[in-house]
Amino acid sequence: MSNVAMAFLLTLIAGLATGIGSCIAFFAKKTNTKFLCVSLGFSAGVMIYVSMVEIFQGAKEALIGAMGVKAGNIITVVSFFAGIAIIAIIDKLVPKEENPHEVKTIEDVNSLDITDHKSKQDKMLLRTGLVTALAIGIHNFPEGLATFVSALDNVSLAIPITVAIAIHNIPEGISVSVPIYYATGDRKKAFIYSFLSGMSEPVGAIIGYVLLRNIFNDVTLGILLAAVAGIMVFISIDELLPTARKYGEHHLSIYGLVAGMAVMAISLILFI
């Protein structure tokens, strides 16, 4: 299988994880919040460590080789913070009250009083689910490009990134499907919207590849990798860790973070 096909497959797998979140929401009456908290922290640890230790360094090496030491270092740093700026702007444009940080579980929605003003609440829940699906779709677009570019550069490195993003996407699937399901009573509709929000990841990969394939060289790769590192660090700090803390004790997310870093460090040593 070519690197392009493998990169697209890994991006597709990460996007499909939102569907897993939908299934968990429908069939699990109680969410294991402590496990989810540790898992999200673990994902953040993987993404932060691999971004700063491997992806950023790979970008710098590519740019220094193509542009020289001083210019290569400058462009690497600028691209890193440009990636952060891009995802921060996207995050700013998403309505905060329906931001996917506010993940809802079945228990949260069950606590609503659905006997009074049911029609109004249904509309509110439906709007929440739809806007959340749109917000997650916007967030997932650069994630898809990040996974795809990482896999083009190093498939072995992209596998743990895919797992980390997939874990991150599971509660996002819950946040889309639960309010839509409770508003409409339609599992199929809730699953479809959740599924579509995750599919923006492979769409991001396809669009990125189509736009960049004719200008793909060491400079382009270096800039993209540095930007991807910035995107992944921002997602970890702004989304994964705050969401993890919502699900459990603060220390659990930190333990997961350290464990993720340790596992990523060991895996990188094994791949040398």
Side-chain angles (χ1 to χ4, degrees):
M1 184 181 292
S2 69
N3 268 17
V4 173
M6 178 59 75
F8 178 75
L9 178 62
L10 291 175
T11 308
L12 181 63
I13 290 171
L16 288 173
T18 55
I20 296 174
S22 293
C23 294
I24 291 174
F26 296 148
F27 300 110
K29 291 185 177 179
K30 188 175 182 180
T31 304
N32 187 335
T33 55
K34 288 187 176 181
F35 176 75
L36 189 54
C37 175
V38 173
S39 297
L40 289 167
F42 184 90
S43 297
V46 167
M47 291 174 67
I48 291 172
Y49 190 91
V50 77
S51 294
M52 300 306 300
V53 173
E54 190 73 13
I55 296 178
F56 185 88
Q57 294 303 318
K60 186 167 72 171
E61 288 174 9
L63 288 168
I64 287 175
M67 306 177 71
V69 175
K70 186 172 183 178
N73 274 288
I74 291 172
I75 297 301
T76 302
V77 172
V78 170
S79 300
F80 175 80
F81 285 103
I84 291 177
I86 290 168
I87 192 66
I89 290 170
I90 291 173
D91 187 71
K92 189 73 175 176
L93 294 175
V94 175
K96 288 299 179 183
E97 61 274 18
E98 275 83 37
N99 195 290
H101 299 185
E102 302 299 324
V103 177
K104 292 183 173 61
T105 63
I106 284 186
E107 292 86 349
D108 295 330
V109 181
N110 273 336
S111 67
L112 293 172
D113 181 7
I114 60 174
T115 57
D116 298 327
H117 311 295
K118 187 176 186 304
S119 177
K120 183 178 179 181
Q121 289 182 338
D122 283 350
K123 289 179 181 178
M124 179 192 70
L125 282 173
L126 182 60
R127 181 179 180 277
T128 297
L130 294 177
V131 175
T132 301
L134 176 62
I136 288 172
I138 294 170
H139 277 273
N140 284 351
F141 192 88
E143 285 181 13
L145 181 59
T147 308
F148 186 78
V149 171
S150 300
L152 280 181
D153 182 55
N154 187 334
V155 172
S156 298
L157 184 65
I159 291 174
I161 293 174
T162 300
V163 173
I165 291 178
I167 292 172
H168 162 48
N169 283 348
I170 289 174
E172 290 187 347
I174 295 173
S175 71
V176 174
S177 61
V178 168
I180 292 177
Y181 169 60
Y182 273 77
T184 65
D186 189 335
R187 279 190 171 91
K188 184 178 179 181
K189 179 181 289 187
F191 179 82
I192 288 173
Y193 279 106
S194 176
F195 176 81
L196 290 176
S197 70
M199 285 303 95
S200 66
E201 292 210 6
V203 169
I206 292 171
I207 292 176
Y209 177 68
V210 169
L211 293 177
L212 298 172
R213 62 179 176 176
N214 293 326
I215 57 170
F216 213 74
N217 52 41
D218 285 345
V219 174
T220 307
L221 178 64
I223 291 172
L224 282 174
L225 285 175
V228 161
I231 289 170
M232 290 172 62
V233 167
F234 185 90
I235 289 170
S236 299
I237 296 172
D238 186 62
E239 291 189 34
L240 292 180
L241 290 178
T243 302
R245 282 194 288 270
K246 288 178 185 293
Y247 273 107
E249 300 172 15
H250 167 72
H251 289 294
L252 288 178
S253 62
I254 299 303
Y255 298 152
L257 175 78
V258 174
M261 288 183 169
V263 169
M264 195 66 244
I266 292 169
S267 68
L268 290 175
I269 292 171
L270 293 176
F271 284 133
I272 293 176

